[in-house]
Amino acid sequence: MKTRRTRLLTLLAAAAAAFVMTPARAQSDTVKIGVILPMTGAQASTGRQLDAAVKLWVAQHGSKVAGKTVEVIVKDDQSLPDQTRRLAQELVVNDKVVALAGMGITPSAMAVAPIATQSKTPLVVMAAATSSITEASPFVVRSSFTLPQVAVAIAEWAHKNNIKRTVTLVADYGPGFDAEKYFAERVTLNGGQVLEKLRTPLRAPDFAPVLQKVRDAKPEALFVFLPSGQGAAFMKQFGERGLDKAGVRLIATGDVTDDDQLADMGDVALGVISSHHYSADHPSAMNKKFVADFMAANKFRPNFMAMGGYDGMRIIYKALEASKGAGGEALLAGMKGQIFESPRGPVLIDAQTRDIVQDVYIRKVEKKDGQLWNVEFDVIKAMKDPGKQK
Ligand code: VNL
């Protein structure tokens, strides 16, 4: 009798333990990553690239990290910063994500930075590229690039190629201000001139009036930064208004000769020199495999946004291994100082600045097998963000 009772009690206790344990264990066995992207709206091409890259990473590396199941939650903010903020809040409070990621444009990253700080949630910025974003929160880590990195690189190229008289044209917000400032500073330092500084709005830009001003100023070169997605429309106008034939050389950040749109640009893009951290044409074995896998899954070419998304996932996965699935400070610590070979080339997450140190390439648009590519021909190795060196 007693034995039966004991046995029954033991069973009940076990059942009770199971009842209590199940939800708790289910929770700690899953780690969630909240990725906020502009899947619709003005920056939808950026969202599409990033989403495809995040999915490719998971398809290649699986959903198990440090014995836990990774669940990636993708949310569409339409590149509206108020939406980004609201979605980040929900992901932290309701879904209890261990990391936030994505951030298609600078205003989105800036809107989420305070939430990262308050909740101690690492925020992996995969796209936005204004230098100061990493200073907006000690929990920001960047897998994309910075505009000062690429603007200084192309200004150096212009100097080496004896281009003295320039005009700048940038999108009228954070990354554009960085591009304009760091390009002009380096040009001036090297004894060149910026004759005019032109800007176009982030939303629905009209390039006709600014291109007329460029024509009137008659520079040797026009330097352009526009966010991903605007390059094809700009190139069309540049060609239609005959600026190439008027002898104005176009130089740009790689956002303009974007791999996502390069095929639609036509021959006006041929010969354009740009600086960037990633070209789908980067000739490493690792990149060839990345591009082949990406194209097999998506039927479109990966651009630099995809690269930021893919490496951002790498940074999160490796940090989760180091923290054994824990979030907060432990996860952040696992992100700082990562050094790895990426399809773009060697990269380092600077432990002090949490920004990315990487090779910046000078490329020329060339036709190979009937298709346009950004062909790398020069490099500045291991470039830190010049925006942090003041
Ligand atoms: C930003 C920078 C966005 C570079 C971009 O494309 C870009 C940004 C949407 O920081 O907002 O190519």
Side-chain angles (χ1 to χ4, degrees):
M1 189 69 186
K2 203 172 179 189
T3 357
R4 262 182 73 193
R5 199 163 155 227
T6 315
R7 222 182 284 140
L8 190 65
L9 278 174
T10 313
L11 268 172
L12 277 173
F19 184 75
V20 176
M21 289 298 291
T22 311
R25 198 187 311 135
Q27 247 180 26
S28 64
D29 273 355
T30 302
V31 288
K32 295 180 186 170
I33 302 168
V35 185
I36 310 176
L37 301 174
M39 295 305 298
T40 57
Q43 262 68 49
S45 65
T46 290
R48 180 181 73 141
Q49 285 275 348
L50 281 157
D51 182 53
V54 167
K55 293 200 161 84
L56 178 63
W57 175 274
V58 176
Q60 289 176 340
H61 299 86
S63 295
K64 279 269 182 252
V65 181
K68 316 230 175 211
T69 303
V70 176
E71 186 189 328
V72 179
I73 306 171
V74 178
K75 299 278 186 190
D76 175 16
D77 68 355
Q78 302 172 283
S79 71
L80 303 173
D82 287 341
Q83 296 279 5
T84 327
R85 184 187 297 109
R86 183 180 61 73
L87 292 167
Q89 203 110 40
E90 283 174 15
L91 286 164
V92 166
V93 175
N94 301 342
D95 297 297
K96 310 213 170 359
V97 296
V98 290
L100 289 163
M103 311 295 122
I105 55 170
T106 290
S108 294
M110 288 308 211
V112 174
I115 296 171
T117 306
Q118 281 152 26
S119 65
K120 296 191 190 301
T121 308
L123 167 60
V124 178
V125 174
M126 294 171 158
T130 303
S131 174
S132 60
I133 293 171
T134 44
E135 285 150 353
S137 164
F139 281 84
V140 168
V141 170
R142 176 155 31 209
S143 63
S144 54
F145 73 109
T146 78
L147 263 305
Q149 280 178 330
V150 297
V152 166
I154 193 81
E156 281 297 324
W157 180 86
H159 174 59
K160 273 194 223 154
N161 287 271
N162 219 22
I163 292 171
K164 293 279 173 237
R165 291 158 44 85
T166 64
V167 167
T168 59
L169 166 57
V170 302
D172 194 5
Y173 77 120
F177 303 156
D178 271 1
E180 181 188 88
K181 175 167 182 255
Y182 284 87
F183 179 82
E185 270 184 17
R186 187 54 64 110
V187 161
T188 314
L189 190 77
N190 287 336
Q193 264 180 291
V194 178
L195 306 170
E196 243 185 294
K197 296 178 178 174
L198 305 167
R199 295 177 180 180
T200 45
L202 169 60
R203 314 263 183 219
D206 177 5
F207 301 117
V210 285
L211 285 174
Q212 187 53 49
K213 287 191 181 158
V214 175
R215 214 176 218 292
D216 296 343
K218 297 191 177 58
E220 289 163 288
L222 169 64
F223 164 69
V224 182
F225 159 74
L226 295 167
S228 185
Q230 295 185 1
F234 170 78
M235 290 301 301
K236 188 160 175 280
Q237 285 280 313
F238 188 85
E240 279 176 9
R241 305 204 155 253
L243 273 113
D244 47 344
K245 294 187 186 69
V248 178
R249 180 136 200 199
L250 179 62
I251 59 177
T253 68
D255 311 69
V256 178
T257 56
D258 187 342
D259 274 302
D260 196 55
Q261 294 191 322
L262 196 53
D264 305 330
M265 288 184 196
D267 288 354
V268 65
L270 273 174
V272 172
I273 305 290
S274 63
S275 58
H276 232 202
H277 55 295
Y278 180 66
S279 166
D281 188 57
H282 181 64
S284 71
M286 187 183 236
N287 184 53
K288 288 198 170 117
K289 180 177 174 349
F290 170 69
V291 173
D293 290 352
F294 189 98
M295 292 195 55
N298 301 293
K299 313 280 177 268
F300 56 88
R301 205 190 273 186
N303 71 356
F304 64 103
M305 293 300 186
M307 196 64 268
Y310 192 76
D311 285 348
M313 288 304 288
R314 192 273 181 201
I315 291 167
I316 297 170
Y317 265 48
K318 287 286 163 189
L320 280 171
E321 279 171 21
S323 76
K324 304 196 167 48
E329 307 265 11
L331 188 60
L332 181 69
M335 294 181 178
K336 292 181 183 177
Q338 285 192 23
I339 300 182
F340 57 99
E341 174 74 18
S342 150
R344 72 178 95 180
V347 303
L348 153 72
I349 302 302
D350 186 320
Q352 248 80 53
T353 63
R354 292 160 280 98
D355 220 329
I356 190 159
V357 179
Q358 59 190 336
D359 294 354
V360 175
Y361 307 89
I362 308 294
R363 313 97 49 86
K364 182 178 190 175
V365 178
E366 287 176 21
K367 203 176 257 180
K368 293 200 284 188
D369 303 326
Q371 279 195 309
L372 297 180
W373 297 91
N374 290 296
V375 179
E376 296 167 351
F377 66 89
D378 202 356
V379 63
I380 301 180
K381 299 292 284 180
M383 201 173 183
K384 287 190 178 183
D385 172 29
K388 307 290 188 310
Q389 288 161 14
K390 305 232 138 166

